[in-house]
DNA sequence: CAGTGAGCGAGCTTCCGCTTGACTT
């Protein structure tokens, strides 16, 4: 018999807490929820008043069995799941599943994982709060109703296996709407005039003063005119203002801000960040990584203060507690911080080190003094124009937290480099060194990255720290959106230069609209989004979650009955579902592009069985309609008639070579030549499938055939030695094995190969 | 891997949030 059994949610937390509690306590973990709505069917008896049908999922059976055993051997049972809606529900499910006594089971919560906080919690146990549990049940059931009633509508009206949900459907909506904004955006250009002035040379030294004209010029002509004025002008410093300013550090990391910064500073994807953070957490190096709180424990505040004072001195320290701003935050945990703030670095993988250092810096910086800056603005007047120049500069007087950390932003143009203004005086006359008018283009709103999408969802109060990464995976797995790159397009940028009394006009090309790892909607995502907007606008409303959250909060304080809340939501919702099923047609996103210029047949584009497809003609005619698939980056939404017609020019025959036909086309992996049932990729950038000739195709074919011949170094039947991208290797039973350095692969015998295979499998297994 | 677009029908898909491994490459 054990005296006390404490159940927490996470095994790593269990380990830590057991150390603090001593011998009389055994601490075990539930690994999150242990019970959920039945997987089959809806799992809710609506007629009886939304009675949930709970079951222990297969993968939790073992955990539950172990918990049962542990519970039966303990005198007192303490449930220390998190202090939020989900945590309270976990506690209640534990009581139900383990057959515990509601009154005798002690419910406690830890606000932080420190010895003091834990001993304090043990002193004041309570019982489970059923209002809070009911608000969780309402949340769970509402999500199930939304997901399991709308998804089947999509299977019928759009495509099988699709899904809709309170969170994912809004995430898709954001991406679809942003793409449409980008698509309809019209870029405008204007000319920005910048100057480099030379200050007077009192002591023989000339300094450069960079400034920008107070006005932009809409046309090149106007810019030239202004530069002509500048050529004759006398420049005088009109005003100088110096204003002190401060900059404050950002709060410590939450899940969302960690994901954003790790993406911007380290290039980690959202799921990568979570995986690395999980390892740091399990290794006891950081606090829990799924949190919406910016709160730091007293211990962390004190430790950080010590570190800052000893490393940087007293005046760099400023203890702060940040208020969590995000909507719907539940604050069951601390912010993400180093477990031991005095450890500036750790051992581990490169990624672990980098992420840890980021967390350390952010935490420490949050406890440091404001930076003091001095912002100088200078205005320069011209004697012959009302349009003058302005120069702004910033000097850091006291670096404060900047010494350790400065936050990154998503903004594309990195104009925020700090510029130091040279010493100047009011009334000083300046000569120009050169003045440049450069064409600037307005840019469309930026497409979402995984990280900026998380930020937006958090702002809307949609999703939770534990679901940001999975949600982003889901909408990609369903094919609604994809993370893609775009090469961008070249455009001409004009400029006018005034130098040495001469005005010259020039232009160069730059690449605009280049994208790296951005979220793009796919056709099926756009079709599903439009379908949901038409039929379930309430669910995809940006405020839907916030509205229901308000009601969950009322349930949690006993002001609203959870079944009543569900009833009020469900009856109109269910009617909409049935109405949509009965009355709405199948949605294919069809667009008629026009008439075929030669045959006059209708050309349309839509979602077909195997993906987006262009169709010429229809089945009412004598001739069967013709079909062609869209290319990878084309969308149903903005395909033109010309682009559609071009798709029918492929695949095309190049003619007969040695009795066999040679065909060129575009497949999943780009343009190809097919000959004797083998596929040969065309060279990117050099070969165009629409104009490539048989002669060139033969070159490509013989090159690849030669490579393939060279690929096999030796063939022993099951075991083969091949030349790969990373050098020679052995392949055996679909597994690949590296050949030790310094070994000539050509002389290896079958026995040698078996030895290498044996060694490698041992070290792995 | 690089196609497909005739039609029928059975059986399957799906949510959000809380937790980690167990899988394969």
């Amino acid at each position: 018999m054990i005296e006390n059994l404490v159940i927490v949610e996470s095994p790593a937390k269990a380990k830590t807490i057991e150390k603090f509690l001593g011998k009389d306590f055994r601490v075990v973990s539930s690994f999150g929820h242990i019970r959920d709505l039945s997987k089959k069917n809806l799992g809710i008896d609506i007629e009886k008043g939304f009675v949930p049908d709970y079951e222990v999922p297969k993968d939790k059976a073992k955990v539950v069995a172990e918990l049962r055993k542990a519970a039966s051997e303990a005198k007192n049972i303490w449930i220390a799941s998190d202090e939020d809606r989900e945590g309270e529900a976990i506690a209640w499910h534990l009581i139900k599943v383990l057959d515990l006594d509601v009154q005798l089971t002690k419910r406690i919560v830890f606000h932080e994982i420190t010895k003091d906080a834990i001993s304090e919690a043990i002193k004041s146990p309570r019982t489970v709060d059923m209002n809070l549990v009911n608000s969780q049940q309402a949340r769970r059931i509402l999500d199930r109703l939304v997901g399991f009633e709308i998804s089947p509508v999509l299977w019928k009206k759009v495509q099988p296996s699709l899904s809709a949900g309170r969170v994912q459907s809004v995430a898709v909506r954001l991406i679809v709407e942003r793409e449409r904004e980008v698509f309809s955006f019209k870029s405008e250009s204007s000319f920005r005039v910048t100057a480099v002035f030379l200050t007077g040379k009192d002591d023989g030294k000339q300094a450069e003063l960079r400034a920008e004209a107070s006005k932009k010029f809409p046309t090149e002509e106007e810019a030239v005119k202004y530069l002509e004025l500048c050529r004759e002008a006398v420049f005088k410093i009109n005003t100088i203002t110096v204003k002190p300013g401060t900059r404050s550090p950002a709060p410590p990391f939450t899940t969302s801000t960690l994901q954003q910064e790790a993406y911007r500073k380290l290039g980690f994807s959202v799921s990568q960040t979570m995986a690395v953070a999980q390892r740091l957490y399990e290794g006891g190096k950081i606090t829990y990584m799924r949190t919406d709180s910016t709160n730091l424990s007293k211990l962390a505040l004190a430790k950080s203060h010590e570190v800052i004072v000893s490393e940087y001195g007293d005046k760099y320290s400023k203890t702060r507690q940040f208020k969590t701003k995000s909507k719907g935050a539940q604050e069951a945990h601390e912010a993400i911080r180093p477990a031991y703030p005095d450890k500036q670095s750790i051992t581990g993988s490169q990624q672990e080190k980098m992420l840890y250092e980021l967390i350390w810096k952010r935490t420490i910086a949050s406890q440091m003094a404001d930076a003091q800056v001095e912002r100088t603005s200078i205005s320069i007047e011209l004697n012959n124009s009302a349009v003058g120049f302005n120069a702004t500069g910033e000097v850091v007087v006291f670096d404060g937290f900047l010494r350790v950390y400065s936050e990154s932003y998503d903004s594309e143009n990195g104009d925020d480099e700090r510029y130091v203004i040279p010493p100047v005086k009011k009334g000083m006359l300046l000569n120009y060194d050169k003045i440049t008018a450069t064409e600037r283009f307005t840019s469309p709103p930026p497409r979402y990255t995984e990280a900026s999408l998380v930020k937006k969802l958090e702002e809307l109060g949609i999703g939770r720290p534990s679901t940001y990464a999975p949600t982003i995976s889901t909408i990609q797995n369903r094919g609604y959106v994809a993370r893609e790159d775009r090469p961008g397009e070249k455009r001409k940028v004009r400029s006018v230069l005034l130098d040495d009394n001469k005005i010259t006009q020039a232009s160069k090309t730059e690449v605009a609209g280049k994208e790296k790892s951005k979220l793009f909607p796919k056709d099926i995502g756009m079709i599903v989004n439009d379908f949901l907007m038409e039929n379930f606008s309430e669910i995809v409303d940006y405020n839907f979650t916030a509205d229901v959250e308000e009601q969950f909060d009322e349930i949690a304080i006993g002001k609203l009955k959870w079944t009543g809340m569900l009833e009020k939501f469900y009856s109109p919702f269910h009617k909409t579902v049935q109405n949509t099923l009965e009355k709405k047609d199948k949605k294919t996103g069809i667009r008629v592009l026009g008439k075929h210029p030669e045959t006059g047949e209708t050309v349309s584009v839509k979602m077909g069985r195997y993906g987006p497809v262009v169709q010429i003609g229809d089945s009412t005619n004598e001739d069967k309609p013709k079909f062609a698939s869209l290319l990878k980056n084309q969308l149903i939404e903005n395909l033109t008639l010309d682009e559609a017609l071009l798709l029918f020019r492929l695949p095309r025959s190049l003619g007969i070579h040695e009795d066999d036909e040679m065909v060129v086309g575009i497949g999943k992996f780009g343009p190809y030549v097919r000959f004797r049932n083998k596929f040969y990729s065309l060279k990117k950038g050099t070969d165009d499938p629409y104009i490539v000739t048989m002669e060139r195709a033969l070159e490509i074919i013989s090159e690849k055939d030669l490579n393939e011949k060279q690929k096999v170094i030796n063939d022993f039947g099951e075991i083969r030695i091949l030349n790969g991208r990373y050098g020679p290797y052995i392949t055996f039973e679909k597994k690949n094995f590296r050949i030790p350095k310094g070994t000539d692969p050509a002389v290896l015998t079958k026995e040698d190969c078996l030895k290498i295979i044996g060694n490698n499998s041992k070290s792995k297994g």
Side-chain angles (χ1 to χ4, degrees), chain A residues 220 224 227 231 435-437 495-499 501-507:
Chain A
E220 191 172 8
V224 170
L227 290 198
R231 179 163 56 186
I435 301 179
T436 320
S495 63
V496 190
L497 175 69
L498 167 61
D499 189 7
N501 271 324
K502 282 198 295 277
I503 292 178
T504 46
Q505 283 163 270
S507 75

Side-chain angles (χ1 to χ4, degrees), chain A residues 175-186:
Chain A
I175 294 162
V176 169
E177 290 189 344
R178 179 57 53 88
E179 191 66 21
R180 288 182 172 146
E181 283 175 57
V182 174
F183 185 61
S184 61
F185 183 82
K186 299 248 184 317

Side-chain angles (χ1 to χ4, degrees), chain A residues 602-625:
Chain A
T602 303
V603 180
S604 61
V605 57
K606 65 172 187 184
M607 183 55 75
R609 272 201 294 165
Y610 308 109
V613 65
V614 180
Q615 180 175 346
I616 300 180
D618 53 50
S619 29
T620 58
N621 277 6
E622 293 283 299
D623 299 329
K624 271 189 189 171

Side-chain angles (χ1 to χ4, degrees), chain A residues 368-628:
Chain A
M368 290 178 72
D370 289 343
Q372 306 293 333
V373 296
E374 214 174 68
R375 294 190 184 106
T376 306
S377 326
I378 291 173
S379 74
I380 297 159
E381 61 174 22
L382 276 66
N383 64 333
N384 59 356
S385 169
V387 180
F389 283 82
N390 296 313
T392 53
E394 190 175 291
V395 177
V396 176
V397 182
F398 171 64
D399 55 0
F401 77 95
L402 290 175
R403 181 116 175 226
V404 172
Y405 184 91
S406 112
E407 195 183 7
S408 300
Y409 297 92
D410 280 328
S411 80
E412 303 260 307
N413 23 344
D415 271 355
D416 50 8
E417 59 174 292
R418 255 167 263 128
Y419 169 61
V420 180
I421 288 195
V424 287
K425 284 190 194 114
K426 191 178 165 171
M428 186 185 258
L429 296 179
L430 302 168
N431 292 318
Y432 72 81
D433 178 34
K434 54 184 150 192
I435 301 179
T436 320
T438 316
E439 188 171 22
R440 282 294 186 111
F441 296 85
T442 53
S443 10
R447 293 193 173 88
Y448 287 104
T449 63
E450 287 189 354
S452 68
L453 183 64
V454 168
K455 182 181 181 184
K456 184 70 190 176
L457 288 173
E458 189 189 36
E459 278 168 19
L460 294 168
I462 298 173
R464 304 276 311 128
S466 65
T467 60
Y468 295 136
T471 298
I472 281 173
S473 301
T474 299
I475 61 177
Q476 293 181 62
N477 290 341
R478 295 275 173 279
Y480 293 151
V481 308
R483 223 174 56 187
E484 286 172 5
D485 304 337
R486 290 285 188 278
E489 280 172 15
K490 278 181 190 156
R491 73 177 165 205
K492 209 172 105 182
V493 184
R494 295 169 292 171
S495 63
V496 190
L497 175 69
L498 167 61
D499 189 7
D500 207 13
N501 271 324
K502 282 198 295 277
I503 292 178
T504 46
Q505 283 163 270
S507 75
K508 55 177 182 180
T509 54
E510 66 175 17
V511 174
K514 189 176 174 202
E515 296 281 28
K516 183 104 184 98
S517 246
K518 294 287 174 63
L519 294 169
F520 289 81
K522 309 303 286 179
D523 289 304
I524 195 66
M526 299 180 105
I527 290 169
V528 166
N529 177 63
D530 292 352
F531 182 83
L532 295 177
M533 292 291 286
E534 277 164 37
N535 299 294
F536 297 97
S537 56
E538 184 197 1
I539 306 300
V540 284
D541 191 296
Y542 292 128
N543 290 318
F544 178 63
T545 291
D547 290 346
V548 291
E549 279 292 343
E550 247 173 59
Q551 299 176 51
F552 295 149
D553 286 346
E554 287 191 9
I555 294 168
I557 54 173
K559 271 172 94 178
L560 187 64
K561 211 167 162 258
W562 69 284
T563 46
M565 181 255 164
L566 285 174
E567 177 58 40
K568 217 173 148 197
F569 163 75
Y570 184 72
S571 48
F573 170 73
H574 186 63
K575 258 185 217 130
T576 311
V577 169
Q578 282 180 318
N579 191 48
T580 311
L581 275 174
E582 280 165 27
K583 301 196 175 139
K584 296 298 174 97
D585 289 332
K586 228 180 153 190
K587 188 153 180 122
T588 61
I590 188 163
R591 280 178 63 230
V592 173
L593 300 177
K595 300 277 182 216
H596 192 283
E598 282 145 33
T599 66
E601 289 170 298
T602 303
V603 180
S604 61
V605 57
K606 65 172 187 184
M607 183 55 75
R609 272 201 294 165
Y610 308 109
V613 65
V614 180
Q615 180 175 346
I616 300 180
D618 53 50
S619 29
T620 58
N621 277 6
E622 293 283 299
D623 299 329
K624 271 189 189 171
K626 290 194 283 286
F627 295 94

Side-chain angles (χ1 to χ4, degrees), chain A residues 48 80 101 149 216 274 281 289 332 393 451 554 622 707 715:
Chain A
K48 286 192 182 145
D101 186 314
E149 293 221 356
K216 283 179 184 153
M274 294 312 283
Y281 168 64
M289 65 281 158
E554 287 191 9
E622 293 283 299
N707 275 342
D715 194 338

Side-chain angles (χ1 to χ4, degrees), chain A residues 21-256:
Chain A
L21 283 173
K23 270 196 181 145
D24 291 341
F25 286 83
R26 182 171 168 212
V27 187
V28 292
S29 143
S30 76
F31 292 81
H33 276 294
I34 51 152
R35 220 166 55 151
D36 191 15
L37 293 175
S38 154
K39 265 251 186 272
K40 282 178 193 159
N41 310 323
L42 194 60
I44 304 158
D45 191 335
I46 292 162
E47 313 264 279
K48 286 192 182 145
F50 302 95
V51 178
D53 172 21
Y54 289 119
E55 62 179 25
V56 176
K58 262 196 203 129
D59 58 329
K60 283 292 162 65
K62 209 177 141 198
V63 176
V64 166
E66 280 165 14
L67 288 173
R68 271 213 190 98
K69 185 163 175 283
S72 70
E73 293 166 354
K75 266 193 205 157
N76 298 310
I77 294 172
W78 309 72
I79 300 182
S81 47
D82 296 343
E83 188 186 27
D84 60 14
R85 201 162 65 200
E86 298 297 327
E88 204 66 17
I90 288 174
W92 178 70
H93 282 302
L94 280 168
I95 287 171
K96 288 280 161 188
V97 173
L98 305 182
D99 236 347
L100 306 177
D101 186 314
V102 184
Q103 292 307 318
L104 295 181
T105 305
K106 299 176 169 69
R107 170 80 172 110
I108 51 172
V109 293
F110 305 135
H111 294 108
E112 39 184 79
I113 310 302
T114 56
K115 192 168 181 174
D116 284 353
I118 290 166
S119 334
E120 203 54 43
I122 293 283
K123 281 184 207 150
S124 49
R126 57 173 174 86
T127 53
V128 163
D129 177 350
M130 274 319 285
N131 286 331
L132 200 50
V133 172
N134 288 338
S135 91
Q136 192 273 349
Q137 297 201 88
R139 197 281 303 156
R140 179 67 190 94
I141 290 170
L142 180 121
D143 281 337
R144 171 59 70 91
L145 290 171
V146 169
F148 275 38
E149 293 221 356
I150 300 184
S151 299
V153 178
L154 293 178
W155 305 343
K156 275 225 167 92
K157 301 295 178 183
V158 186
Q159 223 173 62
S161 302
L162 297 174
S163 64
R166 176 176 58 81
V167 173
Q168 60 168 284
S169 296
V170 176
V172 173
R173 181 183 170 190
L174 285 165
I175 294 162
V176 169
E177 290 189 344
R178 179 57 53 88
E179 191 66 21
R180 288 182 172 146
E181 283 175 57
V182 174
F183 185 61
S184 61
F185 183 82
K186 299 248 184 317
S187 182
E188 288 171 1
S189 82
S190 60
F191 286 78
R192 191 177 110 160
V193 179
T194 55
V196 178
F197 293 108
L198 297 174
T199 62
K201 32 185 167 183
D202 305 337
D203 50 358
K205 262 191 202 163
Q206 276 191 325
E208 285 186 355
L209 176 63
R210 283 189 271 154
E212 183 178 335
S214 57
K215 199 187 131 186
K216 283 179 184 153
F217 299 91
T219 64
E220 191 172 8
E221 292 73 52
E222 286 168 84
V224 170
K225 261 189 202 156
Y226 182 65
L227 290 198
E228 281 166 353
L229 285 174
C230 285
R231 179 163 56 186
E232 313 299 335
V234 177
F235 300 92
K236 190 172 96 183
I237 291 182
N238 191 22
T239 60
I240 302 176
T241 54
V242 180
K243 273 188 198 154
T246 58
R247 296 224 234 153
S248 304
F253 280 133
T254 60
T255 303
S256 148

